[in-house]
Amino acid sequence: MEPVYFDHNATTPLDEKVLEAMLPYLRESYGNASSRHELGTVARRAVDAAREQVAALVNVQPAQVILVSGGTEANNLFIKGAAGFLKPSQVAVSAIEHPCIAKPAQDLARQGWKVRKLAVSRNGEIDLADVERALTEPTGMVSVMLANNETGVIQDVAAVAQRARAAKALMHTDAVQALGKVPVDFAALGVHAMTISAHKIYGPKGAAALVMDKRLQLRPIIHGGGHEQGLRSGTENVPAIVGFGAACELAAGRTAELAPRLEALRARLEQGLNDMGAVIFGARAPRIPNTSYFAFKGILGETLVIELDKAGYAVAPGAACSSANPEPSATLLAMGVDPELALGAVRFSLGTGNAPQQVDEFLKALTAVVTRLRNLTAMAV
Ligand code: PLP
């Protein structure tokens, strides 16, 4: 039996329409977009058209879209690229950033930068007073994500950007988890740069963009043939870029209709979770509509994920589970969540294919698993 997929913040399935748009560029239209002959021209036109679709979704001009291989690369390009043009000062990033912002920012310490983590509230929202405190020191750049990948909490990026600009700092937002779930308008956010990625919006893996203010100066981190305005060399991944464009066009047409549907499904889930005594993280803050992040006291998130997987449901643990000793999520620790409770975190993220009946059946399966695990714990005591 195919698992029921509730892990859309990790990645989304490829939309059938996106696949159809991509197929010709995996088959007959295989040209290099830099070649001068007909096959090259066909590929170049496809890249140009996709760039327009991406630009339209976030309300910018196509020339502001730098196509790269992933959200990870776009975030690295901003942090390292901006550092290439600035004298070392302070880099301020929220305490809940994805590692592909947190780690490159931390790495700047080697070049004499001071790394400042911006605090979040117990609800998981950026603390604007702490942003203001941080900005009393000379600051070269600020990065605050638009929606957190674990809690789904939406950050007031426009308010941070206003403060960053007043302090003459460059402002970046990682909008990877917000795109396709809430409207994302580059100019309205007031940022200098923004990261988006195709595989979180029913597009393919391996295509993403750094959307930039035209005046922003960045030093490339990948050098070569000078593609993407010299900012990102390398032969374009034409099929993936075409898929990214198609996914953006789909998102533009359906986000407004999709959001309330997903929100209703989440409310259905969270009603059940509340009845079972779960703690739901960030529930009081504005959130992207598809995400619920919860824990049951005394039950490891990893155990729940494994048991639910056996029952046919794909969800994600909140802890970094790469080692034998799972580490509680840095996002939850920054929110002041007790580390033991944080180890219980499970992320449930909905997508276009989910239906109310799946949520109801998931709740039944979860009840069974939680009851069994609680009984085991009770017997052990
Ligand atoms: N930023 C956030 C908030 C993410 O959730 C992710 C992926 O999980 C990324 C960046 C990385 O994007 P990509 O997988 O396209 O490299």
Side-chain angles (χ1 to χ4, degrees):
M1 207 178 67
E2 227 184 284
V4 178
Y5 193 69
F6 290 129
D7 196 14
H8 293 81
N9 286 9
T11 195
T12 52
L14 196 65
D15 192 285
E16 203 55 41
K17 290 202 184 86
V18 173
L19 176 63
E20 267 171 41
M22 291 171 67
L23 281 175
Y25 300 93
L26 287 159
R27 290 192 176 125
E28 62 276 11
S29 298
Y30 51 79
N32 183 324
S34 299
S35 300
R36 293 296 177 88
H37 47 63
E38 177 62 18
L39 270 177
T41 310
V42 167
R44 170 58 53 204
R45 279 200 211 109
V47 169
D48 288 346
R51 195 187 308 279
E52 282 177 22
Q53 289 167 310
V54 175
L57 180 60
V58 294
N59 195 22
V60 297
Q61 289 168 12
Q64 292 177 258
V65 174
I66 307 300
L67 295 165
V68 299
S69 72
T72 299
E73 186 186 334
N75 282 343
N76 272 266
L77 174 58
F78 173 76
I79 296 280
K80 295 174 186 173
F85 267 98
L86 297 169
K87 277 210 304 272
S89 61
Q90 177 171 254
V91 51
V93 302
S94 87
I96 59 168
E97 293 302 312
H98 192 274
C100 60
I101 282 289
K103 289 188 181 175
Q106 194 56 50
D107 198 53
L108 291 186
R110 290 190 303 139
Q111 296 168 31
W113 285 75
K114 182 180 163 196
V115 186
R116 170 72 151 82
K117 291 275 168 77
L118 300 166
V120 295
S121 71
R122 296 194 83 81
N123 290 332
E125 291 174 282
I126 189 86
D127 176 350
L128 289 175
D130 195 45
V131 172
E132 285 169 10
R133 268 194 299 279
L135 290 172
T136 57
E137 295 223 5
T139 303
M141 54 181 131
V142 177
S143 184
V144 173
M145 69 204 322
L146 188 50
N148 181 263
N149 43 303
E150 294 174 40
T151 60
V153 170
I154 298 171
Q155 308 299 327
D156 192 351
V157 168
V160 180
Q162 198 185 23
R163 288 158 176 79
R165 279 182 184 268
K168 303 266 183 290
L170 294 178
M171 177 73 202
H172 168 264
T173 191
D174 174 348
V176 165
Q177 291 291 351
L179 196 73
K181 297 169 187 154
V182 289
V184 175
D185 183 307
F186 182 82
L189 291 170
V191 294
H192 294 96
M194 176 172 86
T195 294
I196 54 177
S197 179
H199 76 99
K200 311 283 187 183
I201 60 163
Y202 308 90
K205 290 150 188 77
L210 186 68
V211 179
M212 301 184 4
D213 186 316
K214 279 193 210 128
R215 288 156 299 186
L216 179 63
Q217 285 189 298
L218 296 179
R219 207 173 284 290
I221 55 175
I222 295 176
H223 301 263
H227 307 72
E228 297 298 310
Q229 302 174 45
L231 283 172
R232 205 289 184 169
S233 291
T235 299
E236 291 91 341
N237 183 351
V238 180
I241 290 168
V242 166
F244 187 18
C248 285
E249 188 163 322
L250 269 181
R254 72 181 177 190
T255 303
E257 163 269 318
L258 187 62
R261 190 157 73 73
L262 297 183
E263 195 154 10
L265 288 182
R266 180 181 58 191
R268 201 176 180 105
L269 171 86
E270 292 193 342
Q271 176 68 52
L273 291 177
N274 281 325
D275 293 346
M276 293 167 70
V279 177
I280 303 172
F281 305 112
R284 288 205 191 89
R287 287 181 293 167
I288 45 175
N290 77 320
T291 307
S292 184
Y293 199 33
F294 59 86
F296 292 93
K297 223 174 155 188
I299 302 180
L300 272 180
E302 229 181 306
T303 310
L304 272 182
V305 169
I306 293 166
E307 291 303 317
L308 287 165
D309 185 39
K310 285 188 209 155
Y313 296 95
V315 294
C321 49
S322 48
S323 64
N325 289 325
E327 293 281 323
S329 134
T331 295
L332 291 178
L333 295 185
M335 289 164 66
V337 173
D338 171 53
E340 216 178 298
L341 182 63
L343 283 176
V346 171
R347 181 184 68 188
F348 174 98
S349 48
L350 292 151
T352 53
N354 294 135
Q357 197 196 346
Q358 292 177 325
V359 173
D360 294 344
E361 278 163 13
F362 172 79
L363 278 169
K364 274 190 217 146
L366 183 64
T367 307
V369 170
V370 168
T371 308
R372 188 154 44 81
L373 292 172
R374 277 182 178 153
N375 286 342
L376 282 178
T377 321
M379 270 163 32
V381 173

